[in-house]
Amino acid sequence: MKNTRREFLQKVGVSAVALQLASVTGWASEKQTAQAYDGPVLRVAILGLGNYAARVADAMQGCTKAKLVGLISGTPAKIEKWSAKYNIPAKNCYNYGNFDQIKSNPDIDAVYVITPNGTHHDFIIRTAKAGKHAISEKPMAISVKQGEAMIAACKQAGVKLLVGYRMHFEPKTLEVIRMRKEGEFGKILFFQGLCGFKIGDPKQWRLNKELAGGGSMMDIGIYAINGARYMTGEEPVWVTAQETKTDPVKFKEGVDETIQFQFGFPSGATASCLSTYNMNGLDKFFLNGEHGYAEMQPSTNYGPIMGHTNQGELTQPVTVHQTVQMDEFAEIIFHDKQPPVPVDGHEAVKDLKIISAIYEAAKTGKKVSMSV
């Protein structure tokens, strides 16, 4: 049976789908009734029409500030199916070969690259050269060097580079961040992030080093890395890590199965995290401070996110993450809105630097000092 991160994240929240939809519908209706939007709409083309792209496309049907207007794929059958489903005109449909012609299309503002990690670099640079705003799924690239080149290309072209950090807009997550910023937990002492699932099909791209850039760390571990940073509000100054591999046939050289990793922060706070492709049901964040705590489980799946603090249950509204993300991206691109947690290329490169340090620490067995 084939399992992917996206299928896992979807299944974790499946028992509460009815609750989620009811909450989202009610909240969205209330929001729209309160204030109708009449500003500019971000016109987006999706590049790479896989499972997660389908989730984004469906979610965008609920956006008020962003709209799906274009498709880019190497599979003609997908273009035909998607263009019919989402009413996309033929003039806004491209393949990977003629994609650069998007430069001459005034009806597309941005391209959202949702392809295997190892292909993000080239597609984002082509997007920038075409003069379109660039959105990349995470991880943004498979190396720091690639990530920095993507930032440079977008800067030179005068376009924005954003990354699909959907949790940076999730209400319960933002409430915990607010509480931490306002000192409600006191001095932060410790963070724990557990992220993992048992991966299926050994032939999938996530187990191909060239396409994935690694293994579980690049796919699911990045949630714990990024979570450790936004939950504590600090950047790590040292990293230690230990790798465990039980199936070297499935998890070939350079494709990690399970890595435990630890961070130290400037304040003295520490973090202990786990990234794995060999254990199901791991989706938990825990933040501890001198005067309180926050626990979230599920912490990063598609919803509903659930959690509580020492003050009680987190009751912020359930949202469709990708809908909120795309509307917020429109605000960032058109109005230079600054989100509570950054979603730009520099934020992504910080994660890539930490991933590199984790791999180095796991390989050498030594504590790696770092600065992002």
Side-chain angles (χ1 to χ4, degrees):
M1 179 179 179
K2 179 180 178 180
N3 290 316
T4 69
R5 175 187 69 193
R6 275 126 198 168
E7 289 169 344
F8 165 73
L9 292 173
Q10 184 175 12
K11 288 175 182 176
V12 174
V14 75
S15 62
V17 165
L19 171 65
Q20 178 188 14
L21 291 177
S23 301
V24 170
T25 302
W27 186 61
S29 299
E30 182 180 329
K31 220 177 142 188
Q32 289 170 5
T33 301
Q35 184 176 3
Y37 179 73
D38 63 355
V41 172
L42 182 66
R43 299 166 299 174
V44 180
I46 290 180
L47 187 153
L49 308 183
N51 291 335
Y52 188 66
R55 179 175 288 274
V56 172
D58 287 342
M60 287 189 69
Q61 305 313 300
C63 287
T64 57
K65 303 173 184 178
K67 182 181 181 181
L68 175 63
V69 301
L71 304 170
I72 304 147
S73 174
T75 308
K78 286 185 178 180
I79 290 284
E80 183 178 355
K81 179 180 177 181
W82 282 52
S83 59
K85 180 177 181 179
Y86 298 110
N87 194 30
I88 308 297
K91 69 181 181 64
N92 288 357
C93 296
Y94 301 85
N95 58 47
Y96 296 150
N98 67 12
F99 157 53
D100 305 280
Q101 294 175 16
I102 201 170
K103 182 176 185 177
S104 303
N105 191 331
D107 297 328
I108 296 173
D109 301 311
V111 176
Y112 192 166
V113 176
I114 312 179
T115 51
N117 309 335
T119 65
H120 294 175
H121 169 267
D122 290 348
F123 282 133
I124 291 295
I125 288 179
R126 288 173 69 183
T127 297
K129 288 181 177 179
K132 306 299 180 181
H133 297 294
I135 305 170
S136 173
E137 245 320 294
K138 60 187 178 305
M140 185 175 76
I142 60 174
S143 72
V144 173
K145 183 179 179 181
Q146 280 192 354
E148 290 175 339
M150 293 157 75
I151 291 173
C154 290
K155 182 179 181 180
Q156 182 177 359
V159 299
K160 282 191 165 65
L161 171 57
L162 304 177
V163 183
Y165 286 112
R166 57 188 170 81
M167 300 312 300
H168 294 194
F169 306 108
E170 197 282 316
K172 292 182 178 67
T173 301
L174 290 177
E175 172 61 10
V176 172
I177 293 171
R178 182 200 66 77
M179 292 176 71
R180 186 259 301 158
K181 284 182 175 179
E182 294 187 7
E184 295 183 30
F185 302 128
K187 177 180 167 60
I188 299 302
L189 303 173
F190 176 74
F191 171 80
Q192 180 187 47
L194 306 177
C195 298
F197 65 96
K198 202 171 182 70
I199 199 165
D201 183 6
K203 296 181 180 178
Q204 63 180 282
W205 70 262
R206 288 182 178 82
L207 297 176
N208 178 319
K209 188 177 187 302
E210 286 189 7
L211 290 177
S216 70
M217 184 60 61
M218 297 294 287
D219 184 31
I220 196 80
I222 192 171
Y223 284 94
I225 293 169
N226 196 248
R229 296 175 53 231
Y230 63 67
M231 294 284 271
T232 65
E234 295 192 82
E235 304 294 358
V237 292
W238 60 256
V239 175
T240 53
Q242 307 79 39
E243 180 175 5
T244 303
K245 188 172 291 191
T246 64
D247 187 347
V249 175
K250 187 173 188 177
F251 302 98
K252 297 177 175 60
E253 181 68 26
V255 179
D256 49 288
E257 174 186 327
T258 300
I259 295 183
Q260 298 175 71
F261 55 98
Q262 302 79 37
F263 296 152
F265 297 100
S267 68
T270 57
S272 178
C273 302
L274 174 67
S275 168
T276 184
Y277 268 159
N278 198 33
M279 286 178 259
N280 277 332
L282 290 181
D283 186 11
K284 178 181 178 180
F285 284 177
F286 177 75
L287 183 70
N288 184 254
E290 285 184 332
H291 305 311
Y293 72 89
E295 184 173 32
M296 305 180 75
Q297 186 176 14
S299 59
T300 64
N301 75 34
Y302 298 141
I305 302 302
M306 300 177 71
H308 63 276
T309 74
N310 55 292
Q311 298 180 22
E313 185 179 356
L314 292 168
T315 58
Q316 286 66 34
V318 175
T319 63
V320 177
H321 300 172
Q322 297 80 6
T323 304
V324 178
Q325 172 188 280
M326 298 310 294
D327 274 344
E328 288 296 317
F329 280 0
E331 289 280 352
I332 293 169
I333 287 173
F334 289 135
H335 306 299
D336 201 28
K337 182 178 179 180
Q338 299 301 307
V341 184
V343 291
D344 58 19
H346 296 288
E347 173 78 359
V349 165
K350 289 178 181 179
D351 281 341
L352 291 172
K353 287 180 177 178
I354 296 169
I355 288 174
S356 178
I358 289 170
Y359 282 145
E360 181 184 347
K363 184 177 180 179
T364 64
K366 296 179 180 179
K367 178 186 286 189
V368 176
S369 297
M370 66 173 307
S371 172
V372 299

